[in-house]
Amino acid sequence: MSQTLAIVLASVLALPALAAAQPREVVLGVVYPMSGPAAQAGVDNKAVFELAAEIANGATDLPFPFYQRLKGMPGLKGAKVRLIFADHQGKPDVGQAEAERLITQEKVTALVGSWHSAVTATMSQAAERHGVPFLNPESSSPGLTRRGFKWFFRTSPHDEHFTQVMFDFFRDFEKKRGVKLKTLGLTYEDTLFGADSGKVMKDLAKKHGYEVVLDIQYRARATSLQSEVQRLKGANPDVWMPTSYQTDAILFTRTMKELDFNPKMIMTQDAGHISPDFIAAVGKDAEGTMSRAPFSTDLIEKRPVARALNVLYSKRAGKDLYDFPARAFTGMMTLLDAINRAGSTAPDAIQKALIATSIPGEQLIMTWDGVKFDETGQNTLVKGIILQLLGGKYHTVYPFDVATKDVLYPIPAWKDRK
Amino acid sequence: MEIVNFAHGEFLMLAMYVAFFAWALGHLDPLLALPLAVLALAALGWATYHGLIRWVLGGPMLAQIFATFGLAVFLRAGAQFLWGVDFRVVQDPWLGGRVALGPVFVGLPQLAASVAALVAFLGLWRFLARSETGVALQATAQDRQAAALMGVDTDRMYALGWALGAGCVGAAGALLAMYFYVFPDVGGTFALLAYVTVALGGFGNVPATLAAGVVVGLVEVFAGLLLAPAIKYAVVFLLYLAIVLWRPQGLFGRW
């Protein structure tokens, strides 16, 4: 009796070991805002993540060597990639709870997420504690890769890279056009994203000799931005530099028009100002708005990989590939490539493979030099560009050698429009 | 009526969608869509009472809270399911731009919205204070059983109360759609401020709510202008807490 029990017990205990040796499935937790104010980012990204999984599973074809090598996950003998999507609603506490659930109950191999810097911060803490790889494709708060984490990897540039590009642009633009930009007005929202962006902008402004004449941290998702715009109007900076998510970006533009605030140059930190909703909602009134970005839709035509992916993506999502899904895709493919090379779903094998990542730039849809992580988990081969909203579309205007349009400066005053 | 509608923000969201779709599909300016939004929301309020509130009215307080809260979650998720997560904006409404009142610029849509809100307030106030139905409604709100004993059809009064409340939100939503973006989660932005305003004035007191609304608006703008914009809502809520500590029934509340 006790012998039978021992045999049964032994075989039961051995089962997970066998399963781990030959995984038939790679389960990844993907956590994004699927409801709430930033739901659009999550919903648009979901389509591109599903495409990434299909490419890995061999169901969809992207005819470029890097993606062909991943086809059917040969490193894991054809294990199928399965994604579990979860919604964090833009809330750090919900994100952390979802991360815990995915790790402990769904037993995911790795986590991917999660757009908002503040949510990425709490989710990756859970992943770090459990020793599960966390790939972050887009959160731009610089501090995320400075926490000494061992399981956190970020493929995207962060706000220091991005903001540096803005100041490089100011320098080159002043030289090219013979103008002098002296004063900056900063407005940034009050979550981690805005707070970090504001800090970086202030540091770089000081370093490059610009005067910050207005420095406002405002309450995100405000019902009114009248007082903020009144103060901007009073300070009248040469360049207005806002950091906002969608809701506030739309409201800022509408309020500016109502209150007749006429900045000559608007340099934004991506996010709200670059989302298709912002363009659809107030694009006409936002003519001339500039943004840093890691990707631009007008580059699709110039990059064969991006063009091929956009054909697949636009069919599924009903819109062209843009910054959010482009970065999401790049992050997910980086993780899938690492898992494939690891040939296992064991966390440390994947971690080792991620550290050894080396993806050449021409295989990416981004204009980066490639993907290669430093010891903090930050991709070192990133590059930012500057875009400007012209005629309802964002066009690349800097660096000048890849620009598709000339910079519109100054932005016409409200009274001179149409 | 001693029941708080936690789906008030979602009612506002629906009213904004009514105005948006009237504009997008029927090329109706939000000003023209206003009666439509009022009627649609009044019907929704009436239906909500008969379909939901009536059944929980006699139940414990918690059941009432959960019922309207559940309705809020349902409406928000339903809106996202039906209309997606995109932010929508009415382009070029009739009223745009700004007017100068002396040295101050005021957005024309906002000005129109406040005038319309004032008109709605006066109408509602007169109705409640002067008409027989209005008095019956107030009586029902004060004491349901006593009102019923006096021959008031309290069931109808409740339904009317819900229809009226939702109708007012319908007007607010249509006016707001002239200058604010619409998306499934937009209600939450306003609902909290609305509760604070009502509680500040005193539940059940319509003119007090108007006064409280002006106070909240002024505090918000001046805190943003003179202190720091990041804490403007903190100042509003702080003021609310201070007043509620001093007068738990609100500034002009009776009970």
Side-chain angles (χ1 to χ4, degrees):
Chain A
M1 181 65 204
S2 65
Q3 214 173 1
T4 339
L5 192 70
I7 292 169
V8 169
L9 262 179
S11 46
V12 167
L13 287 173
L15 265 177
L18 279 173
Q22 282 209 315
R24 266 175 295 166
E25 216 177 38
V26 179
V27 186
L28 303 176
V30 183
V31 191
Y32 276 83
M34 303 283 184
S35 68
Q40 189 207 26
V43 172
D44 288 351
N45 280 359
K46 187 165 182 268
V48 93
F49 284 132
E50 284 166 353
L51 273 174
E54 282 172 25
I55 289 168
N57 289 336
T60 294
D61 198 47
L62 198 59
F64 296 89
F66 171 71
Y67 305 94
Q68 291 291 317
R69 273 202 301 278
L70 273 176
K71 212 169 171 178
M73 298 294 270
L76 289 103
K77 308 211 165 44
K80 286 275 177 264
V81 175
R82 181 161 69 90
L83 306 180
I84 302 180
F85 290 96
D87 176 19
H88 65 56
Q89 305 163 24
K91 296 174 184 158
D93 51 327
V94 178
Q96 182 167 10
E98 285 293 344
E100 297 274 358
R101 178 182 71 84
L102 288 167
I103 293 168
T104 56
Q105 288 172 39
E106 304 282 356
K107 311 267 186 265
V108 295
T109 298
L111 283 170
V112 177
S114 60
W115 209 67
H116 295 90
S117 291
V119 186
T120 300
T122 58
M123 280 185 58
S124 53
Q125 266 161 21
E128 187 76 12
R129 205 164 50 242
H130 289 280
V132 168
F134 188 105
L135 197 126
N136 167 243
E138 71 283 278
S139 298
S140 64
S141 169
L144 289 172
T145 38
R146 293 196 185 134
R147 297 174 294 175
F149 280 16
K150 292 186 173 59
W151 300 91
F152 185 77
F153 297 87
R154 165 160 60 192
T155 40
S156 166
H158 57 61
D159 286 335
E160 275 177 32
H161 301 122
F162 282 133
T163 311
Q164 186 58 52
V165 177
M166 295 180 184
F167 283 88
D168 290 348
F169 166 76
F170 291 158
R171 180 197 61 212
D172 292 351
F173 179 75
E174 286 173 17
K175 217 178 289 166
K176 192 173 174 204
R177 291 283 182 94
V179 291
K180 186 78 194 112
L181 308 165
K182 290 192 199 80
T183 56
L184 310 177
L186 315 181
T187 59
Y188 41 95
E189 54 105 53
D190 63 349
T191 73
L192 187 60
F193 168 53
D196 276 355
S197 157
K199 189 174 166 295
V200 174
M201 286 192 294
K202 272 181 275 185
D203 289 349
L204 287 180
K206 202 169 163 193
K207 190 172 143 200
H208 294 275
Y210 291 91
E211 188 193 350
V212 175
V213 289
L214 187 72
D215 174 12
I216 296 186
Q217 184 166 37
Y218 73 90
R219 184 87 184 93
R221 292 189 69 195
T223 54
S224 151
L225 291 168
Q226 304 257 347
S227 46
E228 288 80 353
V229 174
Q230 296 276 18
R231 287 177 66 166
L232 274 168
K233 209 178 148 166
N236 194 25
D238 290 340
V239 186
W240 172 40
M241 302 177 75
T243 305
S244 300
Y245 287 129
Q246 286 95 320
T247 49
D248 306 326
I250 295 173
L251 194 56
F252 256 123
T253 306
R254 292 219 135 183
T255 312
M256 274 167 66
K257 188 179 181 185
E258 272 149 24
L259 298 179
D260 195 30
F261 169 49
N262 293 296
K264 287 200 279 292
M265 184 183 280
I266 306 173
M267 181 61 81
T268 72
Q269 286 279 15
D270 196 83
H273 282 97
I274 208 158
S275 82
D277 271 351
F278 172 78
I279 302 169
V282 290
K284 212 169 56 160
D285 288 336
E287 177 81 1
T289 299
M290 304 176 90
S291 176
R292 53 82 169 173
F295 182 77
S296 162
T297 304
D298 72 339
L299 293 174
I300 289 175
E301 286 310 308
K302 290 190 170 181
R303 297 187 71 80
V305 190
R307 202 163 55 216
L309 183 68
N310 188 46
V311 172
L312 301 168
Y313 181 78
S314 55
K315 210 181 288 168
R316 186 157 312 193
K319 52 180 108 179
D320 274 335
L321 199 60
Y322 65 102
D323 176 23
F324 305 160
R327 278 194 278 174
F329 181 77
T330 307
M332 181 57 93
M333 291 322 289
T334 303
L335 177 64
L336 290 173
D337 165 59
I339 296 174
N340 185 48
R341 278 186 289 105
S344 149
T345 52
D348 25 339
I350 297 172
Q351 183 196 37
K352 215 173 279 167
L354 273 169
I355 293 170
T357 293
S358 173
I359 306 174
E362 82 272 0
Q363 292 297 315
L364 296 178
I365 53 176
M366 320 301 284
T367 51
W368 304 341
D369 294 330
V371 180
K372 206 178 192 91
F373 296 108
D374 64 13
E375 67 281 3
T376 68
Q378 172 64 44
N379 179 12
T380 52
L381 301 179
V382 291
K383 242 163 64 182
I385 54 178
I386 300 283
L387 315 177
Q388 189 170 35
L389 191 59
L390 296 164
K393 265 194 174 152
Y394 268 107
H395 296 276
T396 311
V397 293
Y398 182 83
F400 294 128
D401 56 327
V402 297
T404 57
K405 289 256 187 189
D406 265 346
V407 179
L408 169 73
Y409 177 88
I411 299 171
W414 293 107
K415 63 176 166 53
D416 300 329
R417 297 201 199 178
K418 71 154 182 193
Chain B
M1 301 252 148
E2 288 184 353
I3 176 162
V4 176
N5 179 12
F6 282 98
H8 215 62
E10 279 60 39
F11 279 23
L12 180 80
M13 175 268 292
L14 289 177
M16 292 175 77
Y17 269 111
V18 169
F20 171 78
F21 282 116
W23 170 80
L25 305 175
H27 305 289
L28 277 183
D29 190 82
L31 279 180
L32 293 180
L34 195 135
L36 198 70
V38 172
L39 286 180
L41 266 288
L44 178 71
W46 185 86
T48 306
Y49 173 71
H50 280 290
L52 181 69
I53 306 303
R54 238 179 107 182
W55 310 100
V56 296
L57 212 49
M61 182 75 173
L62 271 182
Q64 300 181 3
I65 291 176
F66 288 146
T68 58
F69 196 76
L71 180 68
V73 175
F74 171 76
L75 290 177
R76 203 182 305 159
Q80 177 168 341
F81 178 72
L82 288 175
W83 306 313
V85 291
D86 293 344
F87 296 83
R88 297 159 193 269
V89 168
V90 172
Q91 307 275 3
D92 298 318
W94 286 352
L95 293 178
R98 63 199 169 275
V99 281
L101 298 175
V104 211
F105 288 109
V106 180
L108 198 54
Q110 280 91 335
L111 193 65
S114 23
V115 170
L118 265 179
V119 170
F121 155 73
L122 285 173
L124 185 67
W125 190 33
R126 272 194 71 88
F127 169 76
L128 285 177
R130 300 289 170 84
S131 76
E132 200 173 319
T133 323
V135 175
L137 193 66
Q138 287 202 59
T140 311
Q142 281 176 14
D143 193 328
R144 188 183 179 191
Q145 278 169 346
L149 283 173
M150 299 297 133
V152 174
D153 183 349
T154 54
D155 198 41
R156 259 191 64 212
M157 286 305 127
Y158 266 99
L160 178 68
W162 274 82
L164 263 181
C168 289
V169 180
L175 293 166
L176 202 54
M178 289 193 297
Y179 62 92
F180 212 82
Y181 49 81
V182 191
F183 77 115
D185 221 19
V186 71
T189 318
F190 293 95
L192 192 60
L193 275 179
Y195 295 135
V196 167
T197 308
V198 173
L200 193 64
F203 280 100
N205 188 337
V206 179
T209 305
L210 178 77
V214 174
V215 169
V216 167
L218 286 176
V219 169
E220 182 188 326
V221 170
F222 278 107
L225 207 55
L226 303 175
L227 302 170
I231 61 161
K232 65 183 184 186
Y233 293 116
V235 177
V236 170
F237 292 122
L238 202 66
L239 177 79
Y240 164 71
L241 281 179
I243 287 178
V244 175
L245 278 176
W246 167 54
R247 274 183 73 87
Q249 68 274 53
L251 280 175
F252 307 101
R254 272 167 299 183
W255 63 82

